[in-house]
Amino acid sequence: MKPLSGITVLELGMVMQVPLAGQMLGDYGADVIKIERPPRGDIMRDLDEVGTAREDMSCYYAAVGCNKRTLCLDLKQEEGREVLGKLIDEADVLIHNFRPGAMERLGFGYEEVSRRNPRLVYAVGYAFGASGPLSGMPGQDMLAQSLSGFAMNGVESGGRPRLTATPTVDYATAASLSQGVLAALLGRERTGKGDLVTTSLFDVAIAMQLLETSSRTLYDYRTDWVQYAMIFKTRDGWITVLTLFRDNPLQLMCKAFNEDDMSADPLLATATLQRKHASKVQEKFGPVMERYTTDECVKRLSKTDILCAPVMDLDDTLKHPQTLQNDILREVEIPGHGTVQLVGNPVKLAGQGKDKPRPPSALGEFSREILSDFDYSESEIRDFQERGVIT
């Protein structure tokens, strides 16, 4: 039995933050009911332009839509809100990422919901916070990167900001939100009462910079981890070489390739000087690297205890033996595509075992089944369908 078996989660979220948190909870056995609006559903369903053009499933929705049942419910109608209320009365967790005030206007803010179901864990993933000058601003990963200082990390004064193409803040916020839900469920076992769990893209983006923040608040200097990395072209690709944790990394690099010790140059005598004059190191050592393949460079540098790794394209990474050994990819049945590989949960529980995940479902695919589970009669369900309360 999975650890969250018997736990019902209502997910009223869109895009990545809350849907990914819902999928993570579903991975651990929760019955996740994804509630979507008609007629479009989650924005992620048509954010993938390629899938939309083919009138096929969005690859982005597929990535965060596993292990859930979908209910398409019109909350603009009174009957739709009544259905949601009945689900809330029997649920264990509700998660959403609507703007502050949106759920309150529907009658489902934390205060109202906790009165009707005191055991419910109510979790919210905000963009910038529940209150404050940015609270009403629409949020997105790259906006959080911009406002949090994340985009200026490693950028020299006057330099151009850099956005990370991978939505790292969204992912970290989803993981943080699911962590909070799990803590609240554990607390409920002791107190019998649910709790309000909140986080935001903005807070998580700042929290991810905890080392950079401490360097400023304690000693007023800017931590830049990129300064410890050098990327060299090899004969057939690229390699990242780190100067971290070594007193004289250039000397070790020269030893690895049987080259004369370039650190004899007074300007390059120590790790600090080598970082300060990184362009000179690149100029002197770059031609050495280009004579060897990436694999040869990694083997030689590793023998002298220099931290290094090949720079790989994601396509190659997904086929790498370590990826396969770690079993991070899972086989998922996608309608019209057969079995495909999607990224699974990176946290595994040995006692949980491995099973095939529930594939991402069509909009409202389980609407009838879910309402039946919550004791709605066949005639009531048919009436809801006819009047567009459910789809």
Side-chain angles (χ1 to χ4, degrees):
M1 179 180 292
K2 294 187 176 182
L4 293 186
S5 294
I7 297 294
T8 299
V9 176
L10 305 180
E11 177 203 304
L12 288 88
M14 292 196 292
V15 192
M16 182 172 175
Q17 177 202 59
V18 158
L20 178 57
Q23 179 173 267
M24 289 173 169
L25 296 173
D27 291 342
Y28 296 134
D31 177 18
V32 180
I33 299 172
K34 182 175 180 63
I35 299 171
E36 301 180 75
R37 61 185 183 178
R40 184 181 180 187
D42 190 336
I43 294 170
M44 288 288 255
R45 286 191 179 275
D46 53 22
L47 193 61
D48 166 19
E49 295 179 356
V50 175
T52 300
R54 297 177 180 178
E55 298 184 347
D56 209 341
M57 177 170 284
S58 161
C59 59
Y60 303 139
Y61 184 85
V64 296
C66 293
N67 288 327
K68 304 177 188 180
R69 296 189 293 165
T70 55
L71 166 63
C72 189
L73 185 65
D74 188 358
L75 296 178
K76 293 181 180 179
Q77 296 192 47
E78 183 178 350
E79 291 91 340
R81 295 191 293 275
E82 289 176 359
V83 169
L84 178 58
K86 186 169 183 178
L87 268 60
I88 286 173
D89 289 344
E90 299 184 41
D92 298 284
V93 179
L94 182 150
I95 55 175
H96 77 80
N97 61 345
F98 298 138
R99 293 192 207 180
M103 286 291 277
E104 285 74 11
R105 287 190 292 273
L106 290 171
F108 298 109
Y110 172 66
E111 297 298 330
E112 295 92 339
V113 166
S114 61
R115 280 195 294 269
R116 62 188 300 164
N117 183 355
R119 287 180 53 80
L120 186 83
V121 172
Y122 190 104
V124 191
Y126 292 110
F128 299 103
S131 59
L134 300 179
S135 60
M137 179 177 170
Q140 198 272 342
D141 181 284
M142 289 179 283
L143 299 183
Q145 289 184 44
S146 301
L147 279 160
S148 66
F150 202 96
M152 292 302 295
N153 265 342
V155 176
E156 294 182 6
S157 179
R160 185 181 181 85
R162 291 188 298 231
L163 293 172
T164 301
T166 299
T168 52
V169 179
D170 258 329
Y171 194 98
T173 307
S176 298
L177 192 62
S178 62
Q179 179 188 51
V181 168
L182 294 173
L185 286 172
L186 180 61
R188 190 181 72 171
E189 290 299 304
R190 297 170 177 170
T191 66
K193 294 182 179 180
D195 206 343
L196 173 63
V197 177
T198 61
T199 189
S200 70
L201 296 172
F202 187 56
D203 284 353
V204 170
I206 294 172
M208 291 169 72
Q209 302 172 84
L210 75 169
L211 300 180
E212 292 86 346
T213 298
S214 65
S215 72
R216 299 187 189 205
T217 57
L218 268 69
Y219 303 119
D220 194 27
Y221 78 91
R222 295 170 63 94
T223 290
D224 175 11
W225 296 106
V226 178
Q227 68 174 314
Y228 296 97
M230 292 184 288
I231 297 179
F232 291 96
K233 193 175 187 330
T234 66
R235 198 167 77 202
D236 60 353
W238 300 87
I239 184 173
T240 297
V241 178
L242 297 187
T243 62
L244 278 166
F245 316 128
R246 305 293 178 264
D247 295 331
N248 191 339
L250 182 56
Q251 185 180 65
L252 295 174
M253 290 163 62
C254 291
K255 181 181 177 182
F257 292 91
N258 300 314
E259 296 287 327
D260 292 338
D261 185 4
M262 297 177 187
S263 68
D265 183 338
L267 288 176
L268 303 175
T270 65
T272 301
L273 288 170
Q274 289 160 24
R275 287 193 295 272
K276 184 178 179 180
H277 301 288
S279 60
K280 189 174 178 67
V281 175
Q282 293 273 357
E283 179 186 339
K284 290 171 73 73
F285 208 83
V288 176
M289 292 288 203
E290 289 193 61
R291 297 201 301 264
Y292 300 87
T293 66
T294 303
D295 187 55
E296 289 171 333
C297 290
V298 169
K299 288 178 179 177
R300 284 175 171 266
L301 290 168
S302 297
K303 285 181 180 178
T304 58
D305 209 24
I306 284 286
L307 300 175
C308 64
V311 179
M312 297 172 63
D313 181 82
L314 179 60
D315 289 336
D316 294 324
T317 300
L318 295 179
K319 294 179 288 188
H320 195 279
Q322 191 64 54
T323 304
L324 303 179
Q325 178 66 37
N326 290 355
D327 201 24
I328 183 61
L329 300 176
R330 59 186 176 188
E331 308 265 315
V332 182
E333 291 288 334
I334 302 294
H337 295 270
T339 301
V340 302
Q341 289 186 319
L342 298 177
V343 175
N345 197 317
V347 180
K348 299 176 179 65
L349 304 181
Q352 182 168 302
K354 182 180 178 182
D355 56 10
K356 206 163 190 177
R358 182 194 296 271
S361 53
L363 179 63
E365 182 176 339
F366 292 91
S367 293
R368 294 179 62 88
E369 177 182 292
I370 292 167
L371 263 60
S372 178
D373 288 347
F374 282 81
D375 297 325
Y376 282 95
S377 68
E378 182 60 32
S379 61
E380 287 176 309
I381 295 172
R382 189 165 50 247
D383 180 58
F384 285 153
Q385 286 183 312
E386 291 172 355
R387 292 190 290 116
V389 176
I390 65 169
T391 302

